[in-house]
Amino acid sequence: MRRATRFAFAALAAAGLAGCGVNSIPTAEEAAKAKWADVQNQYQRRSDLIPNLVATVKGAANFEQSTLVQVTEARAKATSVQISAADLTDPAKMAQYQQAQGQLSAGLGRLLASVEAYPQLKANDNFKMLQDQLEGTENRIAVARRDYNQAVQDYNTTIRTFPAVIGAKIIYGAKPMVPFAATTPGADTAPPVSFDTPAAPAAAPAAAPAANDNTGAGASKAAGQ
């Protein structure tokens, strides 16, 4: 009888603990950490491609060296900012990491936009291959970030929802994880680049000649009459 009572008590205790998130909290946490590892892997893949890209672009005559320097420096900074799984609950560290990666994205955007002025570089097979690889990596980064954010949402919801919130506070001392926020507006978008001579000043008086031509035509007609 006593053994049966102890067994029943143990079963109830186990059920109570399970209901308090003993299993669901670490499961959701590990899932988010795994998705974060995917994000880092894709950013590392991009970082590994950049030196070859820069070396290829350097071969173009008169290419903007300042653009190459900006990309190289942004890559060095992005590489130096590392986030461990333990930092996923630290908003300041996550913001620093996101800012560094955003600056590198902006630098790459400027570099690729500048290439439009170099037809021989655009025709370079090695450059085209690297450009395709970068574009594919950017897509993978976007997918990895989306998946990470979904995993973070699941984890944050778990630790804030009853009854798991009890285990989150009492057993684990769990803290919300920080999602990968949208980058600073414009940080990942290449600025407009034009390699043509400014034509705006000449466009304004365009209507005037038309009017003058009509007047002139009318005058000539009148003179002919």
Side-chain angles (χ1 to χ4, degrees):
M1 184 66 177
R2 291 179 180 178
R3 182 179 298 179
T5 302
R6 287 197 298 268
F7 179 79
F9 178 78
L12 287 173
L17 288 173
C20 291
V22 170
N23 294 324
S24 60
I25 292 173
T27 298
E29 181 181 22
E30 291 305 317
K33 289 178 179 178
K35 295 302 182 182
W36 175 250
D38 291 341
V39 173
Q40 289 186 307
N41 286 340
Q42 296 307 329
Y43 274 127
Q44 184 61 52
R45 185 175 188 274
R46 180 176 72 171
S47 179
D48 292 342
L49 288 170
I50 291 174
N52 289 334
L53 180 70
V54 170
T56 301
V57 172
K58 278 183 177 179
N62 302 320
F63 192 84
E64 295 89 338
Q65 293 301 310
S66 61
T67 301
L68 293 176
V69 170
Q70 289 174 359
V71 170
T72 302
E73 291 178 346
R75 177 186 180 273
K77 182 176 181 180
T79 303
S80 68
V81 180
Q82 296 296 324
I83 295 292
S84 69
D87 297 325
L88 296 179
T89 57
D90 189 329
K93 289 184 178 180
M94 287 293 289
Q96 184 183 22
Y97 183 87
Q98 293 175 40
Q99 181 180 24
Q101 295 296 341
Q103 289 174 349
L104 179 53
S105 296
L108 281 172
R110 284 190 290 270
L111 187 153
L112 294 176
S114 299
V115 168
E116 294 298 319
Y118 300 86
Q120 78 280 13
L121 183 54
K122 290 176 63 178
N124 184 299
D125 288 339
N126 191 40
F127 175 80
K128 288 191 293 185
M129 178 188 69
L130 290 168
Q131 186 179 31
D132 289 342
Q133 290 179 340
L134 274 174
E135 290 175 353
T137 301
E138 290 293 345
N139 290 334
R140 292 187 182 94
I141 288 172
V143 171
R145 284 172 49 177
R146 181 200 64 195
D147 292 345
Y148 166 73
N149 282 349
Q150 182 60 59
V152 166
Q153 181 180 357
D154 293 343
Y155 171 76
N156 289 346
T157 300
T158 298
I159 66 172
R160 295 175 60 185
T161 305
F162 184 83
V165 65
I166 299 174
K169 292 182 178 296
I170 298 175
I171 300 175
Y172 295 109
K175 297 180 180 179
M177 289 185 180
V178 182
F180 206 109
T183 55
T184 303
D188 57 352
T189 304
V193 177
S194 174
F195 300 100
D196 300 325
T197 53
N212 291 337
D213 289 344
N214 292 336
T215 302
S220 299
K221 184 176 180 181
Q225 291 174 345

